[in-house]
Amino acid sequence: MFKAIPVNAPYLANLPILVSTTLAALWVWQTRQFEASTALFLGIIAGGLVDLDNRLTGRLRNVFFTLLHFSAASLLVQFTLDQPWLFAALLTVAALTVTLAGALDVRYRTIAFGTLLVMLYTALTHLPSMAWYTNPVMLVCGTLLYSLCTIVLHLLLPHRPAQENLANACDRLADYMMVKAQFFDPDEADFLAGKEVALALRNSTLTDAFNQCRSALFYRLRSQHRHPRTMRMLQYYLALQNIHERIGARHVDYPEFAHALAHSDLIFRIQRLIVLQAQACLALGEALRHNRDFVLEAHVHRASIGLEQAVARYLADTGAAPIHALRQLTDNVLAISDQLQRLENVRLSDMEQEDDWAIAGQDLERPAEMLQALRSHLNLESAVFRHAVRMAMLTAVAGALVAALQLHFGYWILLTALIVCQPNYSATTTRLRQRISGTVLGVLVGSALPYFIPNPNGQLLIIVLSSTLFFVFRTARYSFSTFFITVQVLAGFTLIGLDTHAAVWSRLADTLIGAGLAWLAVSYLWPDWHYLTLGKTGARALKGNAGYLQQIVDQLQHRHTDNMAYRVARRSAHECATTLGNTVSDMAIEPKKYGDQVQQGFGLLQLNYALLGSIAALGALRGRVAVATLPADFLPRFLHCATALATLMQTTDTRQPQAFQAALADIETELAALKPPTAGHRPDSPAAQVLWAQLQRIAEQLPPYFRILCHILPGDAHAASDLQPIAKP
């Protein structure tokens, strides 16, 4: 396992901001440079907001480009501040380009948005009595100070961020498995629809956690030297993805399965083993956080043996028709125990082929790729483009308002508007409420602080503590982070000798105005409900599933291996499912604006997740089916049917429901002819029966999925209503 200094992750993450603000406060206290202190502390905060995990050379490169952008932006603002209209135009162009940069990569988006904040910080900290270069220098020095602290921490614990991301993924996987265990409760067999939606939403959070792991590992694996600890974490990451595929696999119809085993202890054994496996994932996460060796509890092994024996006894006693679905399901659950057992003694030699440890690139570096990505968003159908234009117009209005009224602290309006305004209505309204509540409370506390802490030393201490607590709550509780940053700003104003009472009322009024402008922007400038993306998101999810299915077909035809192409297709399918889940969640927050499409969205989400689970079940079979045991002509015909299904999912057109029905009918006919023969209650070829049943289940889920798409997307909905489900043989 990993031998390193055990440090609590939240403390470690916020250590650079605490150290850098403390050092800055000591410098201000020693030199008495109070006027320059506000820009220095805001520079530290800006540096923290754009901090990006990477290997050492990547961090140094990020710091270089960050300082370059911050310097240029701050100097541009400094030279245009005496021309408010030119400054407003500069910010408008910056808001447009910054938001569009988000379409390229999270790293471009982060640094670009930080640059926009630095422009506003330069304006907010400007004092006529200060030299023109003071604020730009202090902002850059603050950013550099924070960056140096993060680099020192990286040198001491270079792998800690990736290790923490991996531990978080273990926790999310455990949450997912606990929900999946509820599907094996016979008393809940008739109430699984809500659990399907809950499982789909947990899958979204798990996919996000996996993506954070992938990002951390990707930037460490790009170097020529691959540290053994990084390679070992990569093995953990790939193993967790395999466990996710297996636990997400849908081998049976859960209500029918629960009713069939309602009076047997077998279903409870399956449920108990999944719960124990989830607890093992939590234990793995704790081992990663505290740098301990992971040891799989012995009761997991005993429960696995008990389940295997119970299945053998059940099959011997009953000899019932659904034998193969039961064996398929239990073998899959038992394989998770085997995977967890192997994680106890991970060896680098397990990664035999170069493609096995490759991670797909996720950043755009060539100008041609960047231009192509930007060009694809230059239309109102793109949420990124709509938000970019919305942000530019919002900046222009706020900048014009400040310039026309010559407001002293007016740029708080613009800062609030840009931070509150989010790409969709629901996220904006949520942040708006949090911003206002945090600001009001911060104003009340911050205005009272000078009476209790009048000396500069105490005010510096308040700045250090509030800056640190701002980062502590930045991602968890936005209203708390707003409270602490408001206190920090007011303490900074007191420190430089400004009238805090005037700043208090200005801060409050500007926050209300900025939040109001942001609400108007998302409500009336291309609002979400005019550009509903549910149908297109559902169609993309179907195409993602098709790519996943096609990769499984290719592996059945050639060889079983978790190569990069397979993992990319699987990840793409889950990311499309996550996007669909996020879309439905956003719609559910504002049901009146979307009408009956909210219920259609939940139906589509449930169907998509069932379809994804059925495909994952087929993927879990890749290495377990002995091709030699299949009938001679079965595999080519099976692969032909599976390819036809993948092609149909990939080329689905809601404007041609009759063509969809005809293609599906042809596949249904081929599937019926492909069904393996049986002798009594048992098939002549169990392996062929398993593959056929899984493909049949995938085909059965397409008609209802297509019907919902036809009602959402433009097309012949009346004709789509005539689509018939595939009859079960």
Side-chain angles (χ1 to χ4, degrees):
M1 195 59 184
F2 310 122
K3 303 298 182 184
I5 304 172
V7 184
N8 187 282
Y11 296 156
L12 186 66
N14 296 302
L15 190 59
I17 188 69
L18 176 62
V19 172
S20 56
T21 52
T22 300
L23 292 175
L26 290 174
W27 179 82
V28 173
W29 174 74
Q30 183 69 32
T31 62
R32 318 305 287 179
Q33 296 288 333
F34 296 124
E35 279 194 343
S37 63
T38 303
L40 180 63
F41 286 113
L42 288 177
I44 293 173
I45 290 174
L49 293 175
V50 300
D51 182 39
L52 296 165
D53 179 44
N54 209 322
R55 66 188 191 278
L56 180 59
T57 55
R59 280 186 175 275
L60 293 174
R61 186 175 63 250
N62 288 341
V63 170
F64 172 77
F65 284 108
T66 297
L67 295 177
L68 185 64
H69 283 86
F70 282 11
S71 302
S74 186
L75 287 173
L76 278 174
V77 170
Q78 193 69 36
F79 292 140
T80 57
L81 269 176
D82 56 346
Q83 304 176 58
W85 293 103
L86 180 60
F87 177 55
L90 175 66
L91 284 180
T92 300
V93 174
L96 178 66
T97 55
V98 159
T99 312
L100 284 176
L104 299 177
D105 182 72
V106 64
R107 297 177 177 259
Y108 293 109
R109 177 169 66 248
T110 301
I111 295 178
F113 189 73
T115 303
L116 183 59
L117 287 181
V118 163
M119 296 174 74
L120 291 172
Y121 288 164
T122 305
L124 289 169
T125 56
H126 174 72
L127 291 175
S129 59
M130 295 171 58
W132 65 269
Y133 54 82
T134 303
N135 275 347
V137 170
M138 288 295 102
L139 284 165
V140 171
C141 285
T143 302
L144 180 59
L145 178 60
Y146 178 89
S147 301
L148 289 175
C149 290
T150 60
I151 290 173
V152 171
L153 182 63
H154 178 84
L155 292 173
L156 294 174
L157 299 169
H159 305 285
R160 188 70 199 194
Q163 197 168 323
E164 183 62 30
N165 284 330
L166 196 59
N168 290 334
C170 291
D171 294 347
R172 301 290 78 76
L173 180 58
D175 293 341
Y176 179 88
M177 296 176 76
M178 292 298 289
V179 176
K180 188 61 180 283
Q182 299 174 23
F183 284 69
F184 299 94
D185 185 346
D187 298 328
E188 298 293 320
D190 297 325
F191 307 97
L192 292 181
K195 291 181 174 58
E196 286 273 14
V197 174
L199 194 64
L201 296 179
R202 292 294 175 91
N203 186 66
S204 298
T205 60
L206 176 58
T207 301
D208 291 339
F210 276 145
N211 280 339
Q212 290 178 3
C213 288
R214 184 175 64 90
S215 177
L217 292 170
F218 171 73
Y219 286 105
R220 282 163 174 77
L221 290 169
R222 292 208 307 186
S223 62
Q224 294 297 320
H225 173 67
R226 293 176 170 84
H227 195 280
R229 185 178 297 176
T230 303
M231 297 300 293
R232 187 169 293 180
M233 282 191 288
L234 177 58
Q235 285 188 311
Y236 276 97
Y237 166 71
L238 297 178
L240 291 176
Q241 282 199 319
N242 289 336
I243 293 174
H244 177 214
E245 181 176 54
R246 292 192 175 280
I247 195 62
R250 186 185 183 93
H251 295 280
V252 297
D253 183 273
Y254 293 114
E256 292 181 7
F257 184 77
H259 285 307
L261 296 177
H263 305 293
S264 167
D265 75 330
L266 187 56
I267 190 169
F268 295 104
R269 285 183 177 274
I270 296 172
Q271 183 185 58
R272 177 173 178 268
L273 181 55
I274 293 175
V275 170
L276 292 177
Q277 290 167 346
Q279 293 171 354
C281 288
L282 288 174
L284 175 59
E286 286 302 301
L288 286 165
R289 288 191 178 92
H290 296 95
N291 300 291
R292 296 194 301 259
D293 291 335
F294 169 63
V295 177
L296 186 64
E297 295 290 342
H299 55 241
V300 177
H301 180 63
R302 291 194 294 268
S304 300
I305 294 175
L307 175 60
E308 195 166 13
Q309 293 173 346
V311 171
R313 178 66 178 269
Y314 177 84
L315 296 180
D317 289 346
T318 62
I323 293 174
H324 310 290
L326 175 61
R327 174 59 72 182
Q328 181 183 354
L329 170 65
T330 53
D331 284 350
N332 194 57
V333 175
L334 291 169
I336 296 175
S337 296
D338 294 339
Q339 191 77 255
L340 290 169
Q341 186 70 53
R342 284 195 293 271
L343 287 179
E344 279 191 311
N345 300 298
V346 171
R347 299 184 304 274
L348 297 182
S349 59
D350 292 339
M351 308 184 102
E352 297 176 354
Q353 298 179 4
E354 183 175 344
D355 200 29
D356 289 342
W357 48 253
I359 292 184
Q362 59 181 19
D363 52 355
L364 303 175
E365 295 184 346
R366 294 197 295 269
E369 294 177 340
M370 296 180 184
L371 289 175
Q372 183 178 359
L374 285 175
R375 195 178 298 115
S376 65
H377 286 280
L378 296 180
N379 58 81
L380 287 176
E381 294 298 321
S382 168
V384 174
F385 182 74
R386 294 198 305 272
H387 186 55
V389 178
R390 186 187 296 134
M391 290 280 279
M393 296 180 68
L394 182 62
T395 304
V397 171
L401 184 65
V402 173
L405 300 180
Q406 298 182 349
L407 300 176
H408 182 51
F409 292 109
Y411 291 113
W412 284 117
I413 296 175
L414 187 54
L415 181 65
T416 301
L418 292 179
I419 291 177
V420 167
C421 189
Q422 299 296 300
N424 59 70
Y425 180 86
S426 59
T428 300
T429 53
T430 299
R431 178 157 287 200
L432 184 149
R433 290 191 294 268
Q434 294 171 340
R435 184 83 180 181
I436 291 176
S437 61
T439 300
V440 170
L441 187 59
V443 162
L444 293 176
V445 174
S447 60
L449 284 177
Y451 296 103
F452 297 98
I453 309 175
N455 62 81
N457 296 342
Q459 291 158 6
L460 283 171
L461 179 62
I462 292 297
I463 290 174
V464 171
L465 293 177
S466 57
S467 298
T468 303
L469 291 171
F470 164 72
F471 276 88
V472 169
F473 292 103
R474 183 167 61 98
T475 55
R477 298 290 296 272
Y478 182 71
S479 55
F480 285 13
S481 69
T482 302
F483 164 76
F484 286 114
I485 197 63
T486 301
V487 171
Q488 192 259 19
V489 168
L490 293 178
F493 283 168
T494 302
L495 188 64
I496 63 178
L498 291 179
D499 183 1
T500 53
H501 290 89
V504 160
W505 294 110
S506 176
R507 168 77 163 160
L508 185 57
D510 292 348
T511 297
L512 294 174
I513 294 172
L517 289 175
W519 180 83
L520 289 172
V522 296
S523 299
Y524 296 101
L525 295 177
W526 308 287
D528 297 347
W529 45 93
H530 289 172
Y531 292 87
L532 189 64
T533 59
L534 176 62
K536 293 181 179 179
T537 304
R540 282 195 293 270
L542 189 61
K543 288 180 171 60
N545 292 335
Y548 187 9
L549 178 58
Q550 187 59 55
Q551 276 296 318
I552 294 171
V553 170
D554 293 344
Q555 296 224 343
L556 285 171
Q557 187 174 6
H558 298 101
R559 65 186 181 93
H560 162 246
T561 173
D562 283 338
N563 59 13
M564 187 171 67
Y566 179 79
R567 296 198 306 269
V568 167
R570 182 176 61 189
R571 174 171 54 84
S572 178
H574 281 285
E575 286 179 344
C576 290
T578 296
T579 303
L580 179 61
N582 293 338
T583 301
V584 174
S585 297
D586 291 340
M587 292 170 58
I589 296 175
E590 299 291 334
K592 293 182 179 179
K593 291 182 170 64
Y594 296 101
D596 62 350
Q597 291 198 2
V598 175
Q599 290 303 318
Q600 291 177 339
F602 278 112
L604 195 63
L605 181 63
Q606 183 180 350
L607 285 168
N608 181 73
Y609 192 73
L611 179 61
L612 181 57
S614 297
I615 296 172
L618 194 59
L621 290 169
R622 291 170 298 144
R624 303 185 69 87
V625 173
V627 176
T629 65
L630 297 174
D633 64 337
F634 177 82
L635 187 59
R637 294 169 62 194
F638 174 85
L639 295 176
H640 179 266
C641 288
T643 302
L645 272 178
T647 302
L648 181 61
M649 294 160 62
Q650 189 74 248
T651 59
T652 294
D653 188 348
T654 56
R655 294 167 297 182
Q656 298 178 355
Q658 292 87 355
F660 175 86
Q661 181 67 72
L664 197 57
D666 291 341
I667 297 173
E668 178 187 4
T669 302
E670 290 188 51
L671 277 173
L674 182 64
K675 183 179 181 182
T678 58
H681 291 294
R682 299 177 181 273
D684 293 340
S685 175
Q689 176 68 24
V690 165
L691 290 174
W692 177 88
Q694 204 57 50
L695 194 61
Q696 173 75 13
R697 186 173 291 111
I698 293 171
E700 288 171 0
Q701 292 160 352
L702 291 183
Y705 196 109
F706 186 75
R707 278 198 297 271
I708 294 180
L709 283 183
C710 285
H711 283 290
I712 298 172
L713 290 171
D716 190 348
H718 177 71
S721 65
D722 296 332
L723 286 171
Q724 299 297 319
I726 295 179
K728 294 185 180 180

